[in-house]
Coordinates of all heavy atoms in Angstrom, one line a residue:
E1 N -115.3 139.4 127.3 CA -116.8 139.3 127.1 C -117.2 138.0 126.4 O -118.2 137.3 126.8 CB -117.3 140.5 126.3 CG -117.1 141.8 127.0 CD -117.6 143.0 126.2 OE1 -118.2 142.8 125.2 OE2 -117.4 144.2 126.7
L2 N -116.4 137.6 125.4 CA -116.7 136.4 124.7 C -116.5 135.1 125.6 O -117.3 134.2 125.6 CB -115.9 136.3 123.4 CG -116.1 137.4 122.4 CD1 -115.1 137.2 121.2 CD2 -117.5 137.3 121.8
M3 N -115.4 135.2 126.3 CA -115.1 134.0 127.2 C -116.2 133.9 128.3 O -116.7 132.8 128.5 CB -113.7 134.3 127.9 CG -112.6 134.2 126.9 SD -111.0 134.9 127.6 CE -110.6 133.7 128.8
A4 N -116.6 135.0 128.9 CA -117.6 134.9 129.9 C -118.9 134.4 129.3 O -119.7 133.7 130.0 CB -117.8 136.3 130.6
H5 N -119.3 134.9 128.1 CA -120.5 134.5 127.5 C -120.5 133.0 127.3 O -121.5 132.3 127.5 CB -120.8 135.2 126.2 CG -122.0 134.7 125.5 ND1 -122.1 133.7 124.7 CD2 -123.3 135.2 125.6 CE1 -123.4 133.5 124.3 NE2 -124.1 134.4 124.8
T6 N -119.4 132.4 126.9 CA -119.3 131.0 126.7 C -119.5 130.2 128.0 O -120.2 129.2 128.0 CB -117.9 130.6 126.1 OG1 -117.7 131.4 124.9 CG2 -117.8 129.2 125.8
Y7 N -119.0 130.7 129.1 CA -119.2 130.0 130.4 C -120.6 130.2 130.8 O -121.2 129.3 131.5 CB -118.2 130.6 131.4 CG -116.9 129.8 131.4 CD1 -116.0 129.9 130.4 CD2 -116.6 129.0 132.5 CE1 -114.8 129.2 130.4 CE2 -115.4 128.3 132.5 CZ -114.5 128.4 131.5 OH -113.3 127.7 131.5
S8 N -121.2 131.3 130.5 CA -122.6 131.5 130.8 C -123.5 130.5 130.1 O -124.4 129.9 130.6 CB -123.1 132.9 130.5 OG -122.4 133.9 131.3
H9 N -123.2 130.3 128.8 CA -123.9 129.3 128.0 C -123.7 127.9 128.4 O -124.6 127.1 128.5 CB -123.5 129.5 126.5 CG -123.9 128.4 125.6 ND1 -125.2 128.1 125.4 CD2 -123.1 127.5 124.9 CE1 -125.3 127.0 124.5 NE2 -124.0 126.7 124.2
L10 N -122.4 127.5 128.6 CA -122.1 126.1 128.8 C -122.4 125.7 130.2 O -122.8 124.5 130.4 CB -120.6 125.9 128.5 CG -120.2 125.9 127.0 CD1 -118.7 125.8 126.9 CD2 -120.9 124.9 126.2
Y11 N -122.1 126.6 131.2 CA -122.2 126.1 132.6 C -123.3 126.9 133.4 O -123.4 126.7 134.6 CB -120.8 126.3 133.3 CG -119.7 125.7 132.5 CD1 -118.7 126.4 131.9 CD2 -119.7 124.3 132.3 CE1 -117.7 125.8 131.1 CE2 -118.7 123.7 131.5 CZ -117.7 124.5 130.9 OH -116.7 123.9 130.2
G12 N -124.0 127.8 132.7 CA -125.1 128.5 133.5 C -124.6 129.5 134.4 O -125.3 129.9 135.4
L13 N -123.3 130.0 134.2 CA -122.7 131.0 135.1 C -123.3 132.4 134.8 O -123.1 133.0 133.8 CB -121.2 131.0 135.0 CG -120.5 132.2 135.7 CD1 -120.6 132.0 137.2 CD2 -119.0 132.2 135.2
P14 N -124.1 133.0 135.8 CA -124.5 134.4 135.5 C -123.3 135.3 135.5 O -122.5 135.3 136.5 CB -125.4 134.7 136.7 CG -125.8 133.3 137.2 CD -124.6 132.4 137.0
A15 N -123.1 136.1 134.5 CA -121.9 136.9 134.3 C -122.3 138.3 133.7 O -123.1 138.3 132.8 CB -120.9 136.2 133.4
T16 N -121.8 139.3 134.3 CA -122.1 140.7 133.8 C -120.8 141.4 133.5 O -119.9 141.5 134.4 CB -122.9 141.4 134.9 OG1 -124.1 140.7 135.2 CG2 -123.2 142.8 134.4
G17 N -120.7 141.9 132.3 CA -119.5 142.7 131.9 C -119.8 144.2 131.9 O -120.9 144.6 131.5
L18 N -118.8 144.9 132.5 CA -119.0 146.4 132.6 C -118.0 147.1 131.8 O -116.8 147.0 132.0 CB -118.9 146.7 134.1 CG -119.7 145.9 135.1 CD1 -119.4 146.3 136.5 CD2 -121.2 146.0 134.7
R19 N -118.6 147.9 130.9 CA -117.7 148.7 130.0 C -117.5 150.1 130.7 O -118.4 151.0 130.5 CB -118.3 148.9 128.6 CG -118.4 147.5 127.9 CD -119.1 147.6 126.6 NE -119.1 146.3 125.9 CZ -119.8 146.1 124.8 NH1 -120.6 147.0 124.2 NH2 -119.8 144.9 124.2
F20 N -116.4 150.3 131.4 CA -116.2 151.5 132.1 C -115.7 152.6 131.1 O -114.9 152.3 130.2 CB -115.1 151.3 133.2 CG -115.4 150.3 134.2 CD1 -114.5 149.4 134.7 CD2 -116.6 150.4 134.9 CE1 -114.8 148.5 135.7 CE2 -116.9 149.5 135.9 CZ -116.0 148.6 136.3
F21 N -116.2 153.8 131.4 CA -115.8 154.9 130.6 C -114.9 155.9 131.4 O -115.4 156.5 132.3 CB -117.0 155.7 130.0 CG -117.7 155.1 128.8 CD1 -118.3 153.9 129.0 CD2 -117.6 155.7 127.6 CE1 -119.0 153.3 127.9 CE2 -118.2 155.1 126.5 CZ -118.9 153.9 126.6
T22 N -113.6 156.0 131.1 CA -112.6 156.9 131.7 C -112.9 157.3 133.1 O -113.4 158.4 133.4 CB -112.6 158.2 130.8 OG1 -112.6 157.9 129.4 CG2 -111.3 159.0 131.1
V23 N -112.6 156.4 134.0 CA -112.9 156.5 135.4 C -111.8 157.4 136.1 O -110.6 157.2 135.8 CB -113.0 155.2 136.1 CG1 -113.4 155.3 137.6 CG2 -113.9 154.2 135.4
Y24 N -112.2 158.3 136.9 CA -111.3 159.2 137.6 C -111.8 159.5 139.0 O -113.0 159.2 139.3 CB -111.1 160.5 136.9 CG -112.3 161.4 137.0 CD1 -112.3 162.5 137.9 CD2 -113.5 161.2 136.2 CE1 -113.5 163.3 138.0 CE2 -114.6 162.0 136.3 CZ -114.6 163.1 137.2 OH -115.7 163.9 137.3
G25 N -111.0 160.0 139.9 CA -111.4 160.3 141.3 C -110.2 160.1 142.2 O -109.1 159.7 141.9
P26 N -110.5 160.4 143.5 CA -109.5 160.1 144.6 C -108.9 158.7 144.6 O -109.6 157.8 144.2 CB -110.2 160.4 145.9 CG -111.3 161.4 145.5 CD -111.7 160.9 144.1
W27 N -107.6 158.6 144.9 CA -106.9 157.3 144.9 C -106.7 156.8 143.5 O -106.5 155.6 143.3 CB -107.6 156.3 145.8 CG -107.7 156.7 147.2 CD1 -108.7 157.3 147.9 CD2 -106.6 156.5 148.2 NE1 -108.4 157.5 149.2 CE2 -107.1 157.0 149.4 CE3 -105.3 156.0 148.2 CZ2 -106.3 157.0 150.6 CZ3 -104.6 156.0 149.3 CH2 -105.1 156.5 150.5
G28 N -106.8 157.6 142.5 CA -106.8 157.2 141.1 C -105.4 156.7 140.7 O -104.4 156.8 141.4
R29 N -105.3 156.2 139.4 CA -104.1 155.7 138.9 C -103.2 156.8 138.5 O -103.6 157.7 137.7 CB -104.4 154.8 137.7 CG -104.8 153.4 138.1 CD -105.2 152.5 136.9 NE -104.6 152.9 135.6 CZ -105.2 152.7 134.5 NH1 -106.4 152.1 134.4 NH2 -104.6 153.0 133.3
P30 N -101.9 156.7 138.8 CA -100.9 157.8 138.4 C -100.7 157.9 136.9 O -100.1 158.9 136.5 CB -99.6 157.4 139.2 CG -100.1 156.6 140.3 CD -101.3 155.8 139.8
D31 N -101.1 156.9 136.2 CA -100.8 157.0 134.7 C -102.0 157.6 134.0 O -102.0 157.8 132.8 CB -100.6 155.6 134.1 CG -101.8 154.6 134.3 OD1 -102.4 154.6 135.4 OD2 -102.1 153.9 133.4
M32 N -103.1 157.9 134.7 CA -104.2 158.5 134.1 C -104.1 160.1 134.0 O -103.3 160.7 134.7 CB -105.5 158.2 134.8 CG -105.8 156.7 134.9 SD -106.3 156.1 133.2 CE -107.9 156.7 133.1
A33 N -104.9 160.6 133.0 CA -104.6 162.0 132.6 C -104.8 163.0 133.8 O -103.9 163.9 134.0 CB -105.6 162.4 131.5
L34 N -105.8 162.9 134.6 CA -106.0 163.9 135.6 C -104.9 163.8 136.7 O -104.4 164.9 137.1 CB -107.4 163.6 136.3 CG -107.7 164.7 137.4 CD1 -107.7 166.1 136.9 CD2 -109.1 164.3 138.0
F35 N -104.4 162.7 137.0 CA -103.3 162.5 137.9 C -102.0 163.2 137.3 O -101.3 164.0 138.0 CB -103.0 161.0 138.2 CG -102.4 160.7 139.5 CD1 -103.1 160.1 140.5 CD2 -101.1 161.1 139.7 CE1 -102.5 159.8 141.8 CE2 -100.4 160.8 141.0 CZ -101.1 160.1 142.0
L36 N -101.8 162.9 136.1 CA -100.6 163.4 135.4 C -100.7 165.0 135.3 O -99.7 165.7 135.5 CB -100.5 162.8 134.0 CG -100.1 161.3 133.9 CD1 -100.3 160.8 132.5 CD2 -98.7 161.1 134.4
F37 N -101.9 165.5 134.9 CA -102.1 166.9 134.8 C -101.8 167.6 136.2 O -101.1 168.6 136.3 CB -103.5 167.2 134.3 CG -103.8 166.8 132.9 CD1 -105.1 166.6 132.5 CD2 -102.8 166.7 132.0 CE1 -105.4 166.3 131.2 CE2 -103.0 166.3 130.7 CZ -104.3 166.1 130.3
T38 N -102.5 167.1 137.2 CA -102.4 167.7 138.5 C -100.9 167.7 139.0 O -100.4 168.7 139.5 CB -103.3 166.9 139.5 OG1 -104.6 167.0 139.1 CG2 -103.2 167.5 140.9
K39 N -100.2 166.6 138.9 CA -98.8 166.5 139.3 C -98.0 167.5 138.6 O -97.2 168.3 139.2 CB -98.3 165.1 139.1 CG -96.9 164.8 139.7 CD -96.6 163.3 139.5 CE -95.3 163.0 140.3 NZ -94.1 163.7 139.8
A40 N -98.1 167.6 137.3 CA -97.3 168.4 136.5 C -97.6 169.9 136.8 O -96.6 170.7 136.9 CB -97.5 168.2 135.0

C-alpha cells in the first residue's frame, strides 16, 4: 500500500488497494480452512 501510494504521488499512477477478508468458494486454495475441513 505504501509503495503504490508513492507511485501515485510521484508519477500520477491511479492505484487502488483491496483489503480482502477471508475469501472462500469454488476453486479455492487447498491451504484455506474450508478446503481443509471439507477434505478431512
Side-chain angles (χ1 to χ4, degrees):
E1 295 180 4
L2 296 174
M3 293 164 71
H5 180 270
T6 302
Y7 272 68
S8 296
H9 164 63
L10 292 174
Y11 309 114
L13 171 66
T16 302
L18 308 180
R19 295 174 178 172
F20 297 136
F21 280 70
T22 316
V23 188
Y24 72 101
W27 298 96
R29 279 174 26 208
D31 63 317
M32 296 294 284
L34 183 56
F35 205 112
L36 293 169
F37 292 157
T38 300
K39 187 175 190 294

